[in-house]
Amino acid sequence: MTTGKFFDQGTALRGDFSALAATDHALARLSGFTAATTELTLMGETMQRALSVISDATTELAANLLRVTSGASDTLLSSILSTGSRDFNTAISALNTRLADKSAFWRRCF
């Protein structure tokens, strides 16, 4: 039985390591691409969760506002205002989400 691996690679390659070095380089690059893809996937999932929180809060607030368009009491309007203020703070917090000490929504553009 054999493994297909040479004990002495230098003899097997007759001193020409360029093909082996190119393969090692390609494997290292692929490993880097894998790490970058994983990081971007996590960032995208984090952004999606934050946007879902904002969307849910907006949908709920819109439904509450539509219910009170005709003759709402001061107490109900005050309650909706309080909920809207809370939802606004939640949206700001969602936009300030960080992953691995990087902001999800802020990018330096220069």
Side-chain angles (χ1 to χ4, degrees):
M1 288 186 128
T2 62
T3 63
K5 293 184 180 179
F6 292 100
F7 179 72
D8 185 9
Q9 291 179 351
T11 303
L13 295 173
R14 296 185 182 111
D16 184 13
F17 287 95
S18 60
L20 184 59
T23 302
D24 287 342
H25 177 70
L27 288 173
R29 271 195 1 219
L30 288 174
S31 177
F33 290 150
T34 300
T37 301
T38 301
E39 181 182 350
L40 289 174
T41 300
L42 287 172
M43 187 63 76
E45 289 171 354
T46 300
M47 293 172 83
Q48 186 60 45
R49 278 192 292 272
L51 292 174
S52 293
V53 166
I54 294 171
S55 176
D56 293 345
T58 304
T59 302
E60 182 182 338
L61 183 61
N64 287 339
L65 287 173
L66 286 174
R67 270 189 239 126
V68 298
T69 54
S70 58
S73 67
D74 289 341
T75 306
L76 185 57
L77 287 174
S78 177
S79 172
I80 290 173
L81 179 63
S82 174
T83 302
S85 177
R86 184 200 65 214
D87 290 344
F88 177 75
N89 289 331
T90 300
I92 296 300
S93 294
L95 291 173
N96 287 326
T97 299
R98 299 182 71 79
L99 176 70
D101 204 30
K102 292 180 183 176
S103 178
F105 292 99
W106 184 81
R107 296 283 183 253
R108 207 173 267 173
C109 299
F110 54 88

